Amino acid sequence: MLKKLLFVVLLCTTGLSAQDYFYKKFYPFNPDIPSPEAFLGYGIGEHHTRHDLIVAYLEKLATVSDRAKITYYGKTHEGRKLVILQVSSPENLENLSSLKEKHLAFTKPEENPTYTEDLPVFINLAYNVHGNEPSSSEAALLAAYTFVASEHAEIKNYLQNAVLFIDPTINPDGRDRHTQYANAYQGNPLVADPQDAEHNEYWPRGRTNHYWFDLNRDWLLAIHPESRGKLKWYHEWYPNVVTDFHEMGSQSTYFFEPMKDNGSLNPIMPKENYEDLNNLFGDYYAKALDSIGSFYFTKEVFDGTYPGYGSSYPDLQGGLGLLFEQASSRGHKQTTAFGEITFPFTIRNQYTSSITTVKAAVENREVLYNYQKKFFKSALTNASKNKLKAYTFNAENDKNRVKAFVDKLLLHQIDVYKNGDAFVVPTQQPQYRMVQTMFETYSKYRDSVYYDASAWSLANFYNIKYKSTTNGALGTKIKTTEDLVSLTPVPSTNYAYLIDYDDYNAVAVLNYLQQNGLVISSSFKPFTAATNKGEIAFNYGTLVVPVSLQKKTASEVHELLIKAQEKYQVPMYSVSTGYNTKGIDLGSGYLTPIKKPKLAMLIGEGINSYEAGEVWHLLDTRVHMPITKIPMRNLSRASLAKYTTLVMVSGQYNFSKAEEEKLKNWLAAGNTLVTVGTASKFVIEKEWVKESLTESKKDSTATERQPYVDAREFLGKERVGGAIFKVDLDITHPLAFGYRDTQIPVYKNNTVWLQPSKNPFATVAKYSSNPHIDGFITKKNIEEYLKPSASLLVSKHKAGKVILFADNPNFRGSWYGTNRLFLNALFLGNYINLPQ
Ligand SMILES: [Zn+2]
């Protein structure tokens, strides 16, 4: 109650009651429909609202009103519901399936529909992809209430002419992590001091989802259930307008589009989208925010270059994606250079933009529909101007990696065909722009500072060796990836099983069999064996399961192999002799028995939560293997002796002397440390290993005078924001087992430059002489730093080993092409023997 009073006092400075503050303009409201305040028992802005209560309120609206219907599109990793509330006039909702059919005609170039007045515009009001940017979900409750309960003529008019799809929380797991935090530290009275705990969340904070992934990068990559569910929904409805609400640092105002001039030379986006439509909508937001006295900026800071944002993906789908950024109150009230920001104030701006989006879309329905139609038609005409008719690739020796890539293509509604062994992706299709996004690479850029990655050719993420062709032969259309890998069960043998290690899932099989107590060897040299499928040439790393050496019976061993094969669809063979036709025999000293590694990773304050989350996610979801996450705060009392392998991802490691000694002693005892990114730099600078960093030899003291106004942009210029480079791989090295090609793409988004090792056997991957594949990098970085450097090294520390990754092999859960290097480090790292 006291809080309620405080809230009223807060608002009384503007002379408004709680409800007046937000939606006075839209009185009267239907008294039979509960307001969020009535439902929750507190005023919006007084607390942070939990996701289950948000869902419960929207479910309530759907039961009490014929203007609303609740739908579900999935569940998060933590089991929270992903929901969309459909809101429109009762007549529109009743006829939604026929309206949908009319609407979708505009996405089909062959149908050529003409716009009619009775077709409502489809608007996806989507909120809170970043969990600790909480104002927008609260605004979603207010918007839902306004559209469902207001009897105001303006609102009723919008409902006649629009179907709203309100997604209140795109990232419920992250939101609730922050909600719990902000409510738990809320003072009474409120503490506006920025140093108060309420305004300073602890690691890993609420921005990301369960596995600490940024879901606002996952629209293209489609790794997580939140995005996968949403993409399926998206391609069922193709909304004309999509909102994407965020918060930025507290020392700011409000941002809406138009964005910074498109950073990239991006020929695939129609200019009409980011010039005409954004300016058209921009005028509406300016007017609405002016009317409530709010300040804002446009055309700076944010760019829509990367296509995996919630505000840029819709632009690639004939819609208009709109980014909003509110200065955060991060907590309930905070003092900033602009004065005090309150949570209700931030919510009101987001609410105002929500309503304004509907107004602008309704008033420009015809423009939006004509644009949508033109967008998909122009996809075909653009494609027909391209001499190139298709991209093709083969599954070669890793069907599961290719299957994962094809899954992405299909999820984005890209047509894929199978012609013999070849996969064919024709350019002539309505999703031509997505085809370009997946395969095309760029080397020319208009800008040098990006908000995020400047390379996203997904084919490279998956190490797909694709070719472009002017031949249009298609074959059969692929509808599902389910039957892309089909194997006959391996027949039983009393001698040995051979498991193909080239397959992406081979490591998961290895882990499965090790967990079930089997003794497995890795072949450190290739060989050719007579198998149940005839003579087969086996690559480095082939797994060998010797039957007589197991503690289980031959039939138990066979049963386990069959189970593993069913679960992971990896090719397996049986042999009845160890006397191979070429190369080493099965009793050779090059067959190394490998034990199950015991894994741990350091996490916590200062450590890059994205990279740590990527490791955790990789092991959980692809290998199904636990990894112990040791909080840095517990390191001094943690017992390390039980681990064989420790992961340190990028971060600031402020170890105490005792902690550093503890780690070095553990390492010296013969264990393996795997470092990624700046952690690799750290172990070199701290001299845990005798390696060095690449330094520029050129004198750069002569600096030209520059105008001060350019300083801000200049600061970001030498960053490597995210680009793709080619490395030369030693495929005879255990860390590169499973690869057949010495040239593979890697992803670099840091300035960690490792010098190749002085030990001739220790540089596993070095950037090749012509390394650029895709993305922005300065000439200086490429010539002075990249070209002379290594991407992956092994180094010794007494009896132990450190495996140093300069680049992140697990980037955003999407680098299937380099994941194997990392998994090899965990599973085979203990078995690398370097001569002195
Ligand atoms: Zn955000």
Side-chain angles (χ1 to χ4, degrees), residues 221-453:
L221 313 173
I223 298 298
H224 292 282
E226 294 90 342
S227 337
R228 296 181 66 85
K230 195 61 185 286
L231 281 166
K232 279 186 190 138
W233 177 89
Y234 199 98
H235 289 282
E236 190 187 335
W237 294 95
Y238 288 97
N240 302 90
V241 177
V242 180
T243 62
D244 188 22
F245 287 98
H246 292 257
E247 293 182 13
M248 55 189 159
S250 304
Q251 308 293 345
S252 190
T253 57
Y254 194 79
F255 172 87
F256 57 85
E257 297 196 37
M259 289 187 173
K260 189 176 163 184
D261 265 351
N262 247 25
S264 75
L265 187 80
N266 190 343
I268 75 178
M269 188 71 73
K271 247 194 177 146
E272 212 181 328
N273 175 294
Y274 57 88
E275 287 184 358
D276 306 349
L277 291 180
N278 276 140
N279 285 324
L280 180 67
F281 274 60
D283 288 344
Y284 282 85
Y285 300 121
K287 213 172 278 171
L289 291 164
D290 287 344
S291 79
I292 57 169
S294 285
F295 286 81
Y296 49 81
F297 66 94
T298 62
K299 303 183 282 284
E300 295 176 55
V301 186
F302 302 101
D303 68 69
T305 308
Y306 172 65
Y309 296 131
S311 58
S312 52
Y313 188 80
D315 295 338
L316 277 167
Q317 296 297 336
L320 178 64
L322 294 159
L323 174 73
F324 302 92
E325 294 271 358
Q326 165 65 51
S328 186
S329 63
R330 203 135 289 156
H332 297 82
K333 185 169 80 167
Q334 203 178 154
T335 307
T336 77
F338 293 85
E340 241 165 38
I341 297 187
T342 66
F343 193 33
F345 172 77
T346 64
I347 295 166
R348 188 173 65 158
N349 286 337
Q350 307 281 41
Y351 168 74
T352 301
S353 293
S354 304
I355 307 285
T356 306
T357 299
V358 176
K359 177 183 168 72
V362 163
E363 291 180 6
N364 296 285
R365 264 185 302 162
E366 191 167 358
V367 175
L368 291 164
Y369 269 112
N370 286 335
Y371 172 75
Q372 192 177 36
K373 180 165 116 179
K374 219 168 115 185
F375 180 92
F376 286 102
K377 273 187 174 299
S378 67
L380 295 187
T381 48
N382 289 358
S384 68
K385 285 179 210 150
N386 194 340
K387 264 191 282 179
L388 204 160
K389 290 290 166 263
Y391 291 96
T392 66
F393 51 93
N394 281 9
E396 289 167 11
N397 33 34
D398 184 354
K399 289 197 166 59
N400 279 305
R401 178 166 46 85
V402 172
K403 178 183 171 178
F405 178 61
V406 173
D407 165 75
K408 296 291 129 69
L409 300 179
L410 296 185
L411 197 58
H412 291 293
Q413 298 299 309
I414 294 171
D415 293 338
V416 187
Y417 295 80
K418 190 94 194 278
N419 193 356
D421 280 341
F423 292 88
V424 183
V425 181
T427 52
Q428 189 67 30
Q429 57 171 307
Q431 290 290 358
Y432 173 52
R433 289 186 179 88
M434 287 307 291
V435 175
Q436 293 180 287
T437 302
M438 295 290 176
F439 292 95
E440 286 183 0
T441 58
Y442 300 94
S443 56
K444 282 186 191 152
Y445 295 86
R446 261 193 259 150
D447 206 342
S448 57
V449 181
Y450 291 90
Y451 193 70
D452 195 78

Side-chain angles (χ1 to χ4, degrees), residues 672-689:
T672 302
L673 174 66
V674 180
T675 58
V676 179
T678 62
S680 298
K681 201 169 161 186
F682 174 87
V683 293
I684 292 175
E685 284 170 344
K686 290 280 175 183
E687 298 179 352
W688 292 15
V689 287

Side-chain angles (χ1 to χ4, degrees), residues 130 133 207 246-247:
H130 290 145
E133 300 173 4
R207 176 186 178 90
H246 292 257
E247 293 182 13

Side-chain angles (χ1 to χ4, degrees), residues 19 23 29-31 33-41 57 61 141 145 149:
Q19 307 218 359
Y23 36 62
F29 281 74
N30 179 345
I33 295 177
S35 68
E37 292 80 3
F39 183 83
L40 297 167
Y57 180 63
L61 290 181
L141 295 175
Y145 175 58

